[in-house]
Amino acid sequence: MADTVRAYSGPLVLALLVHLAAVTALHDGWFPGAQPEGRAIKPNLVQSQLIVMQPKARPEPKPAPPKPAAEAPVVAEPEPQAKPEPRRDREAERRQREVAEALERQQRRLAELAQDSFTQALAEEASELAADQDLSAAQSFRFGIYQRVVANWSRPPSARNGMQARLLVELIPTGAVVGVTVVESSGNSAFDRSAEAAVRKARAFDVPPESDLFERHFRRFSLLFKPEDLLR
Amino acid sequence: MPEQISIFELVANASLLVQMVMALLALASIISWMMIFQRWFFLRRVANEVDQFEDHFWSGVDLRELYAELEGHDDLTGIETVFVAGFQEFVRLSDQAGAEVDSIMQGVQRGMRVALNREEERLATHLAFLATVGSTSPYVGLFGTVWGIMNSFRSLANMSQATLASVAPGISEALVATAMGLFAAIPAVIGYNRFSAQVEELMKRNEAFSDEVTSILHRAAQARS
C-alpha cells in the first residue's frame, strides 16, 4: 500500500502541475482575443472625451489675459501723478485684489467650462449609443417588413434574377400601408407592379411602438425590393 | 463596450449537466496525466533493468551462481523473474532421477511462459485506462456540447427577436466541454500509443531472452543425460 502511494504521488503532483499551468495560461489571456481587445477599446473612450474638452478650453485663456493688461495702464496712470504714499499703497492693494479676483473668476469659469464639455461629451456619447440601438432596432423591424413583402409577393413569369425595384412606402403609426410608389424601376413593369402589389397585399406591417423611432424611420421610407434568392 | 467573457465565467454559468460533464473530463484528464507520468518513469526504469541484467547475464557469469544470487531476493525485476522461474524448474526437474530432456524443457518453457505473462500484465497496467480516456472523452465532451447548444436554442424559441448575442454565450459555454474532452483525449491517445509500443518492444526482448535461456538449458540437459 505504501509502495503504491509512493509510486503514484509523484506522478499525481506532476499531473496537477500540468493542469494548473493550463488553467493559469487560460486565465492570463493566453488564448487569443481576451485581453488585447479590452485594452484597445478603453483608451478610445478616454480619447474622445479629451478631444471634446480641448477646443472648448482653449478659447477661454485668450479673453483672460487682456483683463490684467487692460488694468495695467489704469494703474500706471496714477503712478506718475502719485504724491501721497498711503494712497499708492491702497492703490497697489486694490490692484492686487482685483488681479486675484480676476484670476479666481477666470479659473472658476474654466472649471465650469470643463465640466460643461465633460457632460456634453457624456451626452453626445449616450445619444450616439442610443442612435446605434435605434438603428439596430429599426433594422430588425425593416427586416420583418421585407419578409412580409416577400411572403406576399407572387412572382411574375417575366421576373429574372438580379431585378430590383425601389419603392417608397408610407405608413401610419398603426403600421397600415397608406401609399406605395415605385421610385426606381427595375425596367420590367410587371416586376414593378408585382412588388407594389405585394406591399399593398401585406396591408399592415409591424412597426416600433415608440413614436419617435417610427417618425424617423417608418413614416416614409424606401424599400429596396430585390428577391434575388427567390428567383431561379 | 462589452468585455470578453472569461472561460471561467462561462464554466460557472453552465447548466448542471454540462458542469458535471466538465468535472468528469477534468478528473479523467488529471488521472490520465498521472498514469502517463507513472508509466513513463516505470517503463524507463524497466528498460534500464533489462539492459543491466542482460549485460550481467552475457558477461560470462555462471548460471548456477547467478541463480543462487537471485533466488533469495524478494524484489526481483521482471526479466530476473523470468530467468529464476525457468532455472528453478530446470533444477527441480533435473534433480529427479530418470527425467527426460524433453519433459525437462517443457517444464522450463512453461515456467518461463507464466513469468512472461505476468510481466506483460505488469507492464501494460493502466494502458487500458489511457485507451478508454482517449477514445471516449471526445464523445463525453461532445455530449456536453450538444446538451448545452440544445438548451441555448430552446431558450431562443421564446424570444421574439433573435440576435446572435442571445445564443453566443450558450454556444461558447457548450463548446468549452468539447475543448476539455479533446484536452483530455489527445495526451491520453499519444501516451497510449507510445507506451504500448514500448511495452511491445520490452516484451520482445524478454521473449528473445527466454528463448536464449531455453536453448542454453537445453544444451545443459543434453550434456547431463
Side-chain angles (χ1 to χ4, degrees):
Chain A
M1 188 61 209
D3 270 1
T4 7
V5 170
R6 196 145 35 81
Y8 286 94
S9 56
L12 179 63
V13 169
L14 283 175
L16 288 176
L17 279 179
V18 166
H19 286 81
L20 205 70
V23 168
T24 42
L26 275 180
H27 193 71
D28 293 347
W30 165 62
F31 68 102
Q35 297 307 83
E37 254 180 54
R39 261 184 222 139
I41 283 158
K42 266 179 197 161
N44 246 348
L45 223 140
V46 172
Q47 243 175 5
S48 79
Q49 288 172 353
L50 280 174
I51 284 166
V52 177
M53 269 170 76
Q54 267 170 340
K56 290 273 162 186
R58 190 144 297 160
E60 176 48 27
K62 270 177 202 161
K67 267 182 219 164
E71 255 164 312
V74 175
V75 185
E77 266 170 37
E79 221 160 359
Q81 52 165 255
K83 281 156 241 161
E85 290 274 309
R87 219 185 127 188
R88 214 202 292 179
D89 267 3
R90 235 182 292 147
E91 197 76 6
E93 230 172 75
R94 196 173 59 84
R95 190 173 46 153
Q96 257 182 351
R97 221 183 311 128
E98 260 174 28
V99 169
E101 261 172 38
L103 237 140
E104 201 180 309
R105 230 179 302 135
Q106 181 189 335
Q107 268 173 352
R108 219 180 306 135
R109 258 197 80 189
L110 250 170
E112 262 169 39
L113 265 171
Q115 186 63 35
D116 270 6
S117 66
F118 181 66
T119 47
Q120 197 184 330
L122 271 184
E124 259 172 39
E125 208 172 274
S127 73
E128 247 168 54
L129 264 177
D132 252 21
Q133 274 174 358
D134 276 5
L135 211 65
S136 69
Q139 205 73 276
S140 73
F141 276 107
R142 197 163 283 202
F143 184 71
I145 288 172
Y146 189 77
Q147 295 260 296
R148 259 184 78 88
V149 173
V150 167
N152 283 303
W153 183 58
S154 51
R155 189 170 86 90
S158 59
R160 290 290 170 270
N161 212 344
M163 282 184 174
Q164 58 178 60
R166 192 176 288 281
L167 307 169
L168 183 72
V169 182
E170 283 166 276
L171 302 182
I172 54 172
T174 59
V177 179
V178 291
V180 199
T181 41
V182 178
V183 286
E184 205 177 279
S185 167
S186 63
N188 180 325
S189 62
F191 182 85
D192 294 351
R193 258 180 285 125
S194 77
E196 208 180 316
V199 175
R200 287 196 191 286
K201 220 166 114 192
R203 299 173 69 102
F205 297 117
D206 280 338
V207 288
E210 301 89 357
S211 63
D212 62 326
L213 193 59
F214 174 81
E215 293 297 335
R216 245 184 302 140
H217 295 287
F218 295 103
R219 174 67 77 182
R220 277 161 68 90
F221 65 98
S222 77
L223 182 75
L224 185 68
F225 187 67
K226 189 182 176 187
E228 219 167 53
D229 46 335
L230 300 172
L231 297 168
R232 286 284 169 263
Chain B
M1 284 289 115
E3 301 243 330
Q4 281 220 334
I5 317 166
S6 92
I7 294 233
F8 302 97
E9 276 173 52
L10 283 181
V11 173
N13 294 333
S15 69
L16 186 68
L17 189 99
V18 177
Q19 275 179 342
M20 269 161 59
V21 165
M22 286 175 185
L24 185 74
L25 287 172
L27 195 71
S29 173
I30 289 175
I31 295 178
S32 75
W33 271 100
M34 188 177 96
M35 300 299 186
I36 286 169
F37 282 120
Q38 200 269 340
R39 279 296 98 178
W40 188 13
F41 298 143
F42 177 76
L43 290 177
R44 213 171 47 178
R45 206 183 65 216
V46 169
N48 274 341
E49 284 168 0
V50 171
D51 281 348
Q52 273 175 12
F53 184 75
E54 279 190 334
D55 281 352
H56 187 46
F57 187 83
W58 297 114
S59 67
V61 68
D62 185 57
L63 293 192
R64 275 190 188 278
E65 265 174 35
L66 186 60
Y67 174 63
E69 185 189 317
L70 292 176
E71 203 194 4
H73 285 291
D74 235 3
D75 51 344
L76 291 182
T77 60
I79 196 160
E80 287 169 355
T81 330
V82 174
F83 170 71
V84 168
F87 206 84
Q88 196 174 34
E89 208 63 19
F90 177 76
V91 170
R92 262 189 221 148
L93 290 172
S94 59
D95 278 355
Q96 290 172 2
E100 285 177 31
V101 176
D102 278 354
S103 66
I104 293 175
M105 289 329 292
Q106 271 179 9
V108 168
Q109 276 170 345
R110 221 179 301 128
M112 289 209 287
R113 210 178 317 125
V114 170
L116 278 176
N117 284 343
R118 276 213 197 105
E119 175 65 4
E120 182 165 21
E121 210 173 281
R122 200 172 68 102
L123 291 179
T125 353
H126 306 322
L127 288 195
F129 178 82
L130 285 183
T132 310
V133 169
S135 57
T136 56
S137 62
Y139 294 117
V140 175
L142 203 60
F143 169 68
T145 296
V146 168
W147 188 265
I149 289 183
M150 215 167 81
N151 280 338
S152 67
F153 273 115
R154 221 175 40 164
S155 63
L156 194 65
N158 303 330
M159 293 180 187
S160 56
Q161 282 182 42
T163 56
L164 196 57
S166 56
V167 253
I171 292 176
S172 176
E173 159 206 310
L175 285 175
V176 173
T178 304
M180 288 182 73
L182 293 178
F183 180 78
I186 291 168
V189 170
I190 292 174
Y192 174 75
N193 286 336
R194 186 181 151 75
F195 296 143
S196 58
Q198 274 184 347
V199 166
E200 209 170 296
E201 190 201 310
L202 281 171
M203 283 315 293
K204 243 181 227 158
R205 284 176 72 179
N206 283 350
E207 272 160 29
F209 172 76
S210 85
D211 283 348
E212 277 157 354
V213 171
T214 314
S215 67
I216 289 172
L217 293 181
H218 188 75
R219 253 180 275 139
Q222 270 185 333
R224 174 176 306 227
S225 62

